[in-house]
Amino acid sequence: MGDLGWIWTIIVGIIAGFLASKVVNKSGAGLIMDLVIGLVGAVVGKFIGGALLGMGPNSGILENLLVAFAGAVVVLVGYNALMRRR
């Protein structure tokens, strides 16, 4: 993946992280931390989307955003569950 692909992943990840934090944010970690966790989730979602769905660098904006959003929600829910246990 080229540099532009990673820049696009970061931009989409921040958007997806923001949207996911709005959905999951019942006990969020704060906006900045939710965005960082959402960005991590978006990267994870991008790899899972590539492996399971065959999404490549030429996938559409909507597909990338949906996969990034799903990954961000999963990571945020996992993070919140882990923090509640502590």
Side-chain angles (χ1 to χ4, degrees):
M1 174 183 321
D3 290 338
L4 189 57
W6 282 110
I7 292 170
W8 181 245
T9 300
I10 291 169
I11 292 168
V12 169
I14 289 172
I15 293 168
F18 175 75
L19 294 174
S21 73
K22 293 300 179 188
V23 170
V24 178
N25 202 13
K26 293 176 181 72
S27 61
L31 181 62
I32 299 298
M33 190 62 174
D34 284 347
L35 289 177
V36 169
I37 294 169
L39 182 57
V40 169
V43 171
V44 169
K46 184 173 180 69
F47 283 116
I48 291 171
L52 295 179
L53 303 174
M55 293 177 62
N58 295 326
S59 295
I61 294 170
L62 183 59
E63 292 90 357
N64 282 321
L65 186 59
L66 289 174
V67 168
F69 176 75
V73 166
V74 168
V75 171
L76 279 169
V77 167
Y79 175 80
N80 288 338
L82 182 66
M83 288 296 113
R84 263 187 259 134
R85 292 181 85 184
R86 289 183 178 210

